[in-house]
Amino acid sequence: MRHSPPRPLRRLGAACTCALLLCASAQGQTPNLQQGEQIAKKGLPPTVAACASCHGAQGQGMAAFPPLAGQGARYLRTQLDAFADGSRGNPIMAPIAQGLKPQERADVAAYFASLPSGIAATAGQADAKDKGAWLVERGRMQDGIPACASCHGPGGAGVGEHFPAIATLSASYMQAQVDAWKKGSRPPGPLGLMEGIAKKLSSDDVNAIAQYYAGASGAAKP
Ligand code: HEC
Ligand code: HEC
């Protein structure tokens, strides 16, 4: 079945078109993928450890380390900038992001964005007896929680530049992000969409969602 994009997506699209010129000039020169790969695999000794040492050889992520492969370059770059300026608080990523010049952040973001995520964008099934499945595929309208899949795509595989893949995230990482939005230690992101949703999610919800993605046949693990 084909749906037209949900309203927030369309609004975001419009906002991005308007900001396009601004973004293009703020991003500087075109990213250098070779330089990005070098940073990913070797780091910039002695200050910046190889990204691969935590995020996996292919950027596929593991446990507490979110996946970088196949995420939008702009999303990754924005997160690195936020770690560097402290608006996304994290003691591990702060010194790493600060150790990269803006152009190097753009290079490494573009490199990881160019890798395949390995996550299958297969639509799942809403199941009234499975809380996680229902939240992902349908949401919980009485609490104003939209379906995760409406923005993060079928299989939680991510959509475009702004909606990251969430299918392979551990429950504890997902919970940490939800808590960060609740207490303001992660920037609200595009249009504050995710911050608003995070504030409505309980830890039970988060566990059920992570469990559903971990077991869903669509969410093929890299
Ligand atoms: C010592 C381990 C470690 C290394 C090395 C490391 N990271 Fe991370 N990274 C983390 C952790 C832990 C998080 C999760 C932070 C949080 O909980 O907010 C993270 C999060 C991120 C995120 C946010 C992802 C998202 O989906 O929100 C990006 C982007 C990122 N790292 C990029 C990099 C890059 C680029 C490098 C190499 C220059 C790198 N990391 C090296 C541990 C590491
Ligand atoms: C209206 C669109 C929208 C919906 C619906 C939505 N999200 Fe998001 N989500 C976003 C955006 C945009 C981001 C990126 C935020 C940023 O740039 O910091 C995001 C980011 C995330 C992240 C952080 C990923 C990372 O690697 O750090 C998690 C976790 C997340 N969403 C979980 C969920 C869950 C669970 C649901 C369903 C209950 C959901 N989202 C529904 C828009 C949405």
Side-chain angles (χ1 to χ4, degrees), residues 1-3 5-6 9 71 119-125 132-133 135-138 146-168 194 209 212-213 216 218-219:
M1 248 200 318
R2 287 263 151 214
H3 299 286
L9 270 174
Q71 303 279 37
I119 303 171
T122 310
Q125 283 288 319
L135 279 164
V136 167
E137 310 297 345
R138 295 286 171 82
C148 315
S150 67
C151 288
H152 292 283
V159 177
E161 279 290 306
H162 294 285
F163 301 99
I166 59 171
T168 58
M194 193 57 217
I209 291 166
Y212 168 66
Y213 276 130

Side-chain angles (χ1 to χ4, degrees), residues 27-38:
Q27 300 278 319
Q29 304 110 282
T30 35
N32 179 334
L33 291 183
Q34 270 96 38
Q35 174 67 12
E37 180 173 14
Q38 183 76 11

Side-chain angles (χ1 to χ4, degrees), residues 134-217:
W134 199 262
L135 279 164
V136 167
E137 310 297 345
R138 295 286 171 82
R140 193 163 64 229
M141 280 310 147
Q142 67 271 33
D143 292 337
I145 301 173
C148 315
S150 67
C151 288
H152 292 283
V159 177
E161 279 290 306
H162 294 285
F163 301 99
I166 59 171
T168 58
L169 300 179
S170 67
S172 62
Y173 174 81
M174 217 184 255
Q175 186 66 55
Q177 303 316 306
V178 165
D179 291 343
W181 276 306
K182 284 180 177 169
K183 50 178 212 268
S185 57
R186 177 168 174 167
L191 303 179
L193 293 172
M194 193 57 217
E195 183 190 52
I197 294 166
K199 288 184 167 154
K200 299 168 186 159
L201 291 173
S202 70
S203 55
D204 256 19
D205 295 337
V206 170
N207 271 318
I209 291 166
Q211 237 175 54
Y212 168 66
Y213 276 130
S217 51

Side-chain angles (χ1 to χ4, degrees), residues 36-75:
E37 180 173 14
Q38 183 76 11
I39 295 168
K41 293 183 171 164
K42 306 260 167 69
L44 292 173
T47 45
V48 178
C51 320
S53 65
C54 290
H55 291 280
Q58 315 300 325
Q60 74 277 23
M62 47 191 154
F65 309 118
L68 307 179
Q71 303 279 37
R74 196 166 297 164
Y75 172 76

